[in-house]
Amino acid sequence: LTRVEAGKKIKSAPAKPVKTVEAKNGSLHCLKCQIVNLLIMSGVSKMMPRATPQVMEGLGQILDFQAKINPRAPNEYVLPILSVLLKRCKTSADARAHMKRFIFGSDATRPTGYTSTKNMEPPPYVNIKTMKDEAGNWDLRSILTKHICSFNMGLKKCISELIFVLCGENSSEYIRLCGFGSAAGLLADKGLPGFEKMSEQAYSLDEMVARQKAAEKAKAKAQK
């Protein structure tokens, strides 16, 4: 140990800035860098990442990367990160705000004067058929909105629960961002006001097909 002379001030060492890994070209490399940076900023001993803008941006980038590996069947790629996001967003308003902006962009802010009787479908630039944006690239919002109606119940529930939490568990906001058709399933399952008996009155897929075929036959018969 170095002896300190009397009358001299001891200079404290300056705090070292947190170092992060710089991402190079290549999507897989960028993903690995995001994971490393999240571990650095969150602390490997912590069970849940912090809700700082940098951490939530990193989690969003991981979700975006995983969802676009196989957009038509993303369940095995997105379920782990969706589970982390759902748990984090349930306990942090900051996390909800950051992730809502990441997924929905400018639409995350509710327009002035909006009512639930308007915009009952997603905006026209959200294409749930192709899941691509106007430039022809995979779009995270469209992918998630598409799979809210997935036949994979685990994937469907996880995505719809996350978006519902991002909406502050507000049914009107959930409908605004996802469209009534996509939102109705979760709202009926939760038995929210106005949706209590919807699940009891719903038709099965076989019943819907049979009704459609019967309607087509009746129409064809009427035209003869």
Side-chain angles (χ1 to χ4, degrees):
L1 299 175
T2 305
R3 182 177 296 174
V4 181
E5 297 182 10
K8 289 188 176 182
K9 295 182 179 180
I10 301 175
K11 294 182 180 180
S12 58
K16 294 182 179 180
V18 177
K19 294 181 179 180
T20 57
V21 181
E22 293 184 5
K24 300 177 182 178
N25 293 331
S27 56
L28 182 58
H29 181 79
C30 290
L31 175 64
K32 291 179 179 178
C33 290
Q34 289 287 4
I35 295 172
V36 171
N37 290 336
L38 284 174
L39 291 174
I40 292 172
M41 290 185 285
S42 302
V44 292
S45 62
K46 303 292 180 69
M47 293 300 293
M48 186 56 58
R50 300 170 188 170
T52 63
Q54 296 88 348
V55 169
M56 297 311 299
E57 175 71 19
L59 290 172
Q61 291 292 345
I62 293 174
L63 173 62
D64 184 73
F65 179 89
Q66 294 293 95
K68 293 175 182 177
I69 294 175
N70 185 3
R72 302 194 184 284
N75 52 302
E76 63 181 302
Y77 303 106
V78 299
L79 283 177
I81 185 64
L82 284 173
S83 299
V84 172
L85 286 171
L86 180 58
K87 190 171 183 180
R88 174 72 283 186
C89 291
K90 278 185 174 180
T91 58
S92 169
D94 289 338
R96 290 194 292 273
H98 291 315
M99 193 50 51
K100 188 178 182 183
R101 283 195 299 270
F102 183 89
I103 295 175
F104 298 102
S106 59
D107 283 343
T109 303
R110 189 182 181 94
T112 304
Y114 171 83
T115 63
S116 59
T117 58
K118 300 178 181 179
N119 303 327
M120 298 299 276
E121 295 298 329
Y125 49 81
V126 178
N127 194 327
I128 61 175
K129 291 183 178 180
T130 65
M131 295 179 285
K132 294 183 179 181
D133 57 22
E134 295 176 350
N137 301 316
W138 294 114
D139 177 55
L140 177 62
R141 178 178 179 178
S142 298
I143 294 171
L144 296 179
T145 306
K146 167 77 172 181
H147 291 289
I148 287 178
C149 299
S150 172
F151 288 107
N152 184 315
M153 298 306 295
L155 177 64
K156 173 182 178 178
K157 183 174 178 60
C158 206
I159 293 175
S160 55
E161 283 285 355
L162 173 62
I163 297 179
F164 189 61
V165 167
L166 296 183
C167 294
E169 300 189 359
N170 182 300
S171 58
S172 176
E173 180 73 350
Y174 184 53
I175 291 172
R176 180 181 75 85
L177 292 175
C178 299
F180 182 82
S182 299
L186 178 71
L187 300 179
D189 290 342
K190 291 183 174 294
L192 295 178
F195 298 88
E196 303 94 331
K197 297 182 179 180
M198 182 177 289
S199 58
E200 298 175 5
Q201 298 172 351
Y203 298 115
S204 69
L205 183 59
D206 292 338
E207 289 175 327
M208 291 176 66
V209 172
R211 285 172 175 266
Q212 180 65 27
K213 287 182 178 179
E216 290 175 356
K217 286 182 179 180
K219 185 177 180 180
K221 188 176 181 179
Q223 291 175 349
K224 289 181 179 179

